[in-house]
Amino acid sequence: MAGINGSSLPAPKQGKQLTPKDFFDFAKKVGAEMMDLKFVDLLGTWQHCSFPVSALDESVFEDGLGFDGSSIRGWQDIHMSDMLAIPDPKTTAVDAFFDKPTVSVIADIYDPITREAYTRDPRYVALKAEAHLRQSGIADTCYIGPEPEFFIFDQVRYEQNQHRGMYEIDSVEGAWNSARIEEPNLGYKPSFKGGYFPVSPTDTYHDLRGEMVYEMMKLGIVVEAHHHEVATAGQAEIDMKFDSLLKMGDQFMWYKYVIKNVAKKAGKTVTFMPKPVFEDNGSGMHSHFSLWKKGKPIFHGNRYANLSDIGLYAIGGILKHAAALLAFCAPTTNSYRRLTPGFEAPVNLAYSARNRSAAVRIPMYSNSPKARRLEFRCPDPTCNGYLAWSAMLMAALDGIKNELHPGDPLDRDIYEMTKEEMKGIPSTPGSLAKSLDALEQDHAFLLEGGVFTQDLIDTWISYKREHEVDELRLRPHPHEFALYYDC
């Protein structure tokens, strides 16, 4: 395969369960003298460290490699900082973003003393979620199909200190640049909320998105489509074909990594922030979700929208626990700039076959039983996929076990409904603080089967409150000067 650096490198055979020996054979085949070890922190960002392949042998896949975990976000227990990263050979791939051939592998985190998996490792949570699903007898596979959106900017500047707080973004596609002197300015700027599906020359990022897709395909990621999204200023979407929960968690990490690095090479910058542009559409990550057993979909049936009772109960579980789920699925203060009533985001905790203002939608593009699935529309791409999708699975399983029917669907235009009619439809929390409060009160369903631990949940809540909610609450907002300076 041709990497982004122009080298021609083969890829591991897709579907093969690679062994430690396969890793070294593959490294030799591609001429890689370096291994890049990657693992994910609690919030969902990859960390890495590189090692000469010549300094390693097959024992590393059992003994692991030691590192200091005290500086990793969410893992800062200084008195227990020694940790082990044990690479998973099944994740072997060529990392195309180094000058020389480099083989990448994703690691799981272990305690070096007890030799037990570290409970705050998000990838371990996904592993446990899949095991719990199989043990439940309800299904054996959870498929996830995310639709992450993002912005491609030409420049971003921001600062926050004691005497100044500002941000500035810019994009050659920005509607605000229609009068900028560009020598010449040729127009073709997507208008606010006018960026959905235009062809070139309005869509200036087709080739860049295409390069992102080609790099993903070389990694074995199956991409279904890419296109310009609704907002101005380079909003984009690249959709991956559904895959099992853990594998999609791994792919989502590669997805962000590839997109950011391809953009940087082109002199652009990418953000997955849900709401970077005021008064325009934000970036969500509608997450398609289905359960299968022995190769057959179990959400298909003869109920509403061709769902089975199990499918309806799964919706009931997601809606019941939605406020708590959003602490993982929409996990930033900025997430709630997008989840705002009256805008495009789905804030109504209801379900529908076609109504995109409902939090859970049942796509109706196909009558095939294999296509019957749920689409949870509230998540956004700042989430940690391993945690968000595991939490979704646990909520659905709770609904199925307890036969939680979701009630009547929302098949009306909400903008034509009266305030009295809307009172009966609950909404998503209005802030990250409220979602964290909901998680604090409602998380027993996550603890089933030991998938999530009380320690992880407590750590998540305390980290988010201290480092995000409180930090934002304490700072004056730039718009407050416009509102109050001359009072």
Side-chain angles (χ1 to χ4, degrees):
M1 75 182 188
I4 197 167
N5 56 13
S7 60
S8 180
L9 300 172
K13 186 177 180 181
Q14 294 305 309
K16 182 180 179 181
Q17 296 297 303
L18 299 177
T19 66
K21 181 179 183 301
D22 292 326
F23 168 84
F24 287 101
D25 289 344
F26 181 68
K28 183 177 181 180
K29 183 177 181 179
V30 301
E33 297 181 1
M34 201 69 67
M35 175 187 80
D36 195 59
L37 184 78
K38 297 178 172 70
F39 63 91
V40 62
D41 69 12
L42 186 64
L43 302 190
T45 299
W46 253 350
Q47 313 295 316
H48 83 127
C49 188
S50 297
F51 303 86
V53 174
S54 61
L56 307 172
D57 57 37
E58 292 184 27
S59 66
V60 74
F61 290 90
E62 183 175 344
D63 297 336
L65 294 158
F67 70 99
D68 177 6
S70 65
S71 296
I72 304 300
R73 295 183 303 176
W75 297 358
Q76 294 101 326
D77 289 331
I78 193 68
H79 64 292
M80 299 174 63
S81 58
D82 286 356
M83 311 196 84
L84 281 179
I86 299 182
D88 181 349
K90 297 188 295 296
T91 64
T92 299
V94 171
D95 189 324
F97 299 100
F98 293 94
D99 287 338
K100 295 184 177 180
T102 300
V103 177
S104 173
V105 64
I106 301 173
D108 297 307
I109 308 305
Y110 282 74
D111 185 299
I113 305 300
T114 65
R115 304 294 297 185
E116 294 179 350
Y118 185 49
T119 58
R120 295 188 200 173
D121 176 9
R123 194 169 189 265
Y124 181 45
V125 174
L127 280 162
K128 289 188 291 181
E130 289 191 327
H132 178 67
L133 175 64
R134 293 189 294 269
Q135 291 166 4
S136 73
I138 294 170
D140 50 45
T141 306
C142 172
Y143 284 119
I144 301 292
E147 298 177 352
E149 299 167 340
F150 54 94
F151 280 87
I152 305 168
F153 293 141
D154 287 275
Q155 179 172 279
V156 59
R157 298 191 303 122
Y158 53 88
E159 184 177 24
Q160 179 68 65
N161 53 37
Q162 287 79 4
H163 72 285
R164 179 162 50 209
M166 58 78 66
Y167 75 88
E168 182 181 6
I169 55 176
D170 202 6
S171 167
V172 69
E173 279 197 358
W176 54 84
N177 281 324
S178 60
R180 185 171 69 175
I181 298 175
E182 294 181 351
E183 298 181 347
N185 188 328
L186 300 178
Y188 301 118
K189 313 290 186 185
S191 62
F192 291 105
K193 297 183 179 292
Y196 198 63
F197 275 29
V199 297
S200 60
T202 303
D203 178 6
T204 66
Y205 286 127
H206 176 87
D207 288 338
L208 184 61
R209 292 193 311 270
E211 183 64 23
M212 295 168 180
V213 169
Y214 296 140
E215 291 301 326
M216 290 183 203
M217 291 169 62
K218 293 167 188 173
L219 289 162
I221 297 173
V222 179
V223 174
E224 291 190 323
H226 75 86
H227 58 83
H228 204 290
E229 254 300 337
V230 173
T232 189
Q235 192 183 33
E237 180 177 320
I238 299 175
D239 298 334
M240 295 177 281
K241 183 180 179 181
F242 69 89
D243 215 318
S244 60
L245 192 158
L246 177 65
K247 188 172 180 182
M248 185 53 69
D250 291 344
Q251 288 187 173
F252 185 44
M253 300 307 300
W254 274 112
Y255 179 100
K256 286 187 171 182
Y257 181 74
V258 167
I259 285 173
K260 289 179 179 179
N261 278 284
V262 170
K264 184 175 184 295
K265 187 175 179 65
K268 308 288 185 178
T269 179
V270 159
T271 182
F272 289 93
M273 281 180 65
K275 195 73 169 183
V277 180
F278 177 52
E279 292 188 330
D280 207 345
N281 280 32
S283 294
M285 187 176 69
H286 306 152
S287 293
H288 296 253
F289 167 83
S290 64
L291 297 180
W292 291 52
K293 186 174 184 179
K294 297 180 179 179
K296 295 182 179 180
I298 65 171
F299 281 177
H300 182 265
N302 58 5
R303 304 300 187 190
Y304 173 80
N306 293 328
L307 285 172
S308 63
D309 285 328
I310 286 178
L312 287 169
Y313 297 150
I315 293 174
I318 289 173
L319 292 179
K320 176 185 176 181
H321 299 296
L325 284 179
L326 290 184
F328 289 112
C329 295
T332 67
T333 58
N334 188 253
S335 300
Y336 299 85
R337 311 285 192 239
R338 168 181 172 261
L339 291 176
T340 303
F343 285 83
E344 84 287 352
V347 299
N348 302 292
L349 295 180
Y351 72 104
S352 175
R354 303 180 72 180
N355 190 340
R356 280 173 163 77
S357 65
V360 177
R361 188 177 74 94
I362 302 96
M364 301 300 292
Y365 299 122
S366 171
N367 291 324
S368 169
K370 294 181 179 180
R372 194 57 56 229
R373 62 195 187 274
L374 314 178
E375 179 191 14
F376 189 33
R377 294 175 59 79
C378 299
D380 67 59
T382 58
C383 76
N384 183 330
Y386 298 112
L387 298 181
W389 297 323
S390 295
M392 282 175 53
L393 171 60
M394 297 302 290
L397 289 178
D398 185 66
I400 294 168
K401 291 174 184 176
N402 294 291
E403 298 186 356
L404 301 176
H405 197 281
D408 295 330
L410 177 63
D411 285 336
R412 293 182 58 188
D413 185 342
I414 62 168
Y415 299 107
E416 295 180 355
M417 296 173 67
T418 67
K419 289 184 179 180
E420 286 299 315
E421 290 173 319
M422 289 297 295
K423 282 183 179 178
I425 303 173
S427 296
T428 56
S431 67
L432 176 59
K434 291 182 179 179
S435 290
L436 294 172
D437 290 344
L439 177 61
E440 193 168 46
Q441 297 299 317
D442 176 26
H443 60 257
F445 70 99
L446 296 172
L447 302 177
E448 290 290 324
V451 174
F452 286 75
T453 64
Q454 191 67 52
D455 172 68
L456 185 148
I457 292 170
D458 290 345
T459 301
W460 183 268
I461 292 171
S462 63
Y463 186 97
K464 287 286 178 175
R465 282 176 175 164
E466 178 182 354
H467 295 280
E468 298 179 34
V469 173
D470 288 348
E471 289 291 321
L472 196 69
R473 178 177 56 84
L474 292 171
R475 285 164 167 77
H477 189 282
H479 191 56
E480 290 176 320
F481 283 81
L483 292 173
Y484 309 127
Y485 186 79
D486 62 349
C487 289

